[in-house]
């Protein structure tokens, strides 16, 4: 009996020692797998998440529908920061042309650089009101490329980039520079701007937000004056008047010995002497003839 109690006591003592040792020994820290870190975007980089999702505007339409429609003004309205741009597009009626171009078969799509209301507020007071209708259309077309351009394709552009405003490389120049694919800057010669994010993009239309209004030099610089026509070779730059031609004709008559029509005072005196002499000779001949 004593032997059993001894064994029970020893077993209990060993169990207590094992428990105490486990409590005082440091527990092994669990191994946490390291997750791959995503590269941080540049503080000046653009936001690639579209403000306006493709659906439902850009979603495929049912088979019963005639053709998919994309309303650029509606896209900008959903972004809730482009009210000035929307008003300009509607008052100039350029919005109808752009929407129609997206539906044209064979169209390469559109890329639109959209200044928000805060960008228009940075313009000089009264700038937009100082523009005529033609200049307003040109300003909007200067923000539009006649092809779809994804973010990854900006580095494929050739400067100066041709916009819908025209191909004048001096007055309508738009030069684009990319930095590592995270930043896109552009300059017009009058304004330096940066793309700050994506508003909307699908396979036909790309709308990017820019921090400034892209004002072209053609709007800022005065129109060059048309050069005066250069005179032909061998001609005097001064055009002869009818009076000058008459004077030249009289001068030629003087050289031939004829009496000029419009002569100077000296010429009139000289011709009067000739007339007097001729009259004297004629009178003398008639007097001699009468005597004979």
């Amino acid at each position: 009996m004593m032997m059993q109690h001894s064994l029970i006591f020893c077993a209990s003592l060993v169990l207590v020692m094992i428990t105490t040792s486990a409590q005082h020994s440091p527990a092994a820290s669990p191994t946490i797998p390291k997750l791959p870190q995503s590269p941080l975007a540049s503080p000046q980089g653009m936001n690639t998440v579209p403000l306006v999702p493709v659906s439902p505007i850009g979603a495929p339409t049912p088979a019963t529908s005639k053709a998919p429609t994309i309303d650029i003004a509606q896209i900008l309205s959903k972004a809730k920061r482009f009210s000035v741009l929307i008003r300009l597009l509607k008052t100039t009626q350029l919005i109808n042309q752009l929407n129609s171009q997206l539906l044209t078969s064979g169209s390469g799509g559109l890329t639109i650089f959209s200044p928000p209301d805060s960008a228009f507020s940075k313009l000089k007071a009264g700038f937009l009101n100082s523009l005529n209708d033609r200049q307003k259309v040109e300003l909007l077309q200067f923000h539009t490329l006649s092809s779809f351009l994804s973010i990854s394709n900006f580095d494929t552009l050739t400067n100066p980039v041709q916009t819908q405003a025209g191909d004048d490389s001096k007055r309508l120049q738009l030069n684009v520079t990319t930095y590592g694919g995270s930043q896109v800057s552009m300059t017009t010669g009058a304004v330096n701007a940066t793309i700050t994010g994506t508003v909307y993009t699908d396979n036909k239309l790309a709308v990017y937000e820019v921090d400034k209004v892209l004002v072209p030099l053609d709007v800022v610089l005065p129109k060059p004056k048309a050069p005066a026509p250069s005179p032909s070779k061998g001609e005097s730059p001064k055009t002869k008047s009818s009076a000058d031609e008459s004077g030249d004709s009289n001068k030629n008559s003087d050289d031939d010995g004829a009496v000029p029509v419009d002569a100077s005072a000296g010429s009139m005196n000289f011709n009067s002497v000739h007339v007097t002499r001729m009259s004297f000779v004629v009178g003398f001949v008639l007097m001699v003839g009468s005597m004979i």
Side-chain angles (χ1 to χ4, degrees):
M1 191 70 179
M2 291 290 295
M3 190 66 174
Q4 290 179 353
H5 285 290
S6 298
L7 291 175
I8 294 172
F9 176 78
C10 290
S12 300
L13 183 61
V14 171
L15 181 61
V16 170
M17 292 177 63
I18 293 175
T19 304
T20 303
S21 176
Q23 291 177 351
H24 289 283
S25 61
S29 58
T31 302
I32 301 176
K34 294 184 179 180
L35 298 177
Q37 296 182 353
S38 59
L40 297 177
S42 170
Q44 296 180 341
M46 71 178 72
N47 181 16
T48 58
V49 180
L51 293 176
V52 180
V54 174
S55 178
I57 299 176
T61 55
T64 56
S65 179
K66 294 182 180 180
T69 58
I70 299 178
D71 190 344
I72 298 175
Q74 185 178 357
I75 293 173
L76 294 173
S77 178
K78 286 182 176 293
K80 299 180 180 180
R81 62 178 72 173
F82 301 99
S83 59
V84 178
L85 180 60
I86 294 172
R87 185 173 70 250
L88 284 174
L89 287 170
K90 289 184 177 180
T91 55
T92 58
Q93 299 183 358
L94 187 63
I95 187 66
N96 299 328
Q97 176 183 334
L98 295 177
N99 287 335
S100 298
Q101 187 172 343
L102 290 173
L103 300 178
T104 304
S105 60
S107 171
L110 291 174
T111 299
I112 300 176
F113 303 117
S114 303
D117 297 337
S118 58
F120 281 99
S121 65
K122 298 176 184 177
L123 294 173
K124 184 179 179 180
F127 174 78
L128 290 179
N129 293 332
S130 66
L131 303 179
N132 56 38
D133 293 341
R134 184 197 64 81
Q135 290 174 323
K136 289 179 181 178
V137 171
E138 181 180 276
L139 179 66
L140 294 173
Q141 289 178 331
F142 193 67
H143 289 73
T144 308
L145 306 183
S146 298
S147 60
F148 170 80
L149 190 65
S150 63
I151 294 178
S152 59
N153 288 337
F154 274 100
D155 56 355
T156 64
L157 293 175
T158 302
N159 291 323
V161 179
Q162 183 172 343
T163 67
Q164 287 194 349
D167 56 357
D168 190 329
S169 59
K170 293 182 179 180
R171 302 181 67 92
L172 295 172
Q173 58 173 295
L174 179 64
N175 296 308
V176 177
T177 306
T178 60
Y179 300 93
S182 61
Q183 182 181 358
V184 179
S185 299
M186 51 189 63
T187 177
T188 69
V191 174
N192 297 324
T194 301
I195 295 180
T196 56
T198 303
V199 179
Y200 176 88
T201 182
D202 56 21
N203 60 351
K204 196 78 171 178
L205 172 66
V207 182
Y208 300 105
E209 181 177 350
V210 289
D211 60 347
K212 293 181 182 178
V213 179
L214 303 179
V215 180
L217 284 175
D218 191 58
V219 174
V220 178
L221 297 178
K223 288 292 183 181
K225 296 181 179 180
S230 58
S232 302
K233 187 176 180 181
E235 290 186 1
S236 173
K238 183 178 180 181
T239 305
K240 292 183 179 181
S241 63
S242 58
D244 295 333
E245 293 177 354
S246 176
D248 291 343
S249 175
N250 294 334
K251 184 177 178 181
N252 294 334
S253 299
D254 292 341
D255 295 339
D256 295 336
V259 179
V261 177
D262 294 327
S264 62
S267 298
M268 290 178 65
N269 294 335
F270 179 77
N271 292 329
S272 298
V273 173
H274 277 278
V275 172
T276 303
R277 289 179 179 177
M278 290 292 293
S279 300
F280 176 77
V281 172
V282 171
F284 178 77
V285 172
L286 291 175
M287 182 182 65
V288 174
S290 61
M291 292 177 62
I292 298 175

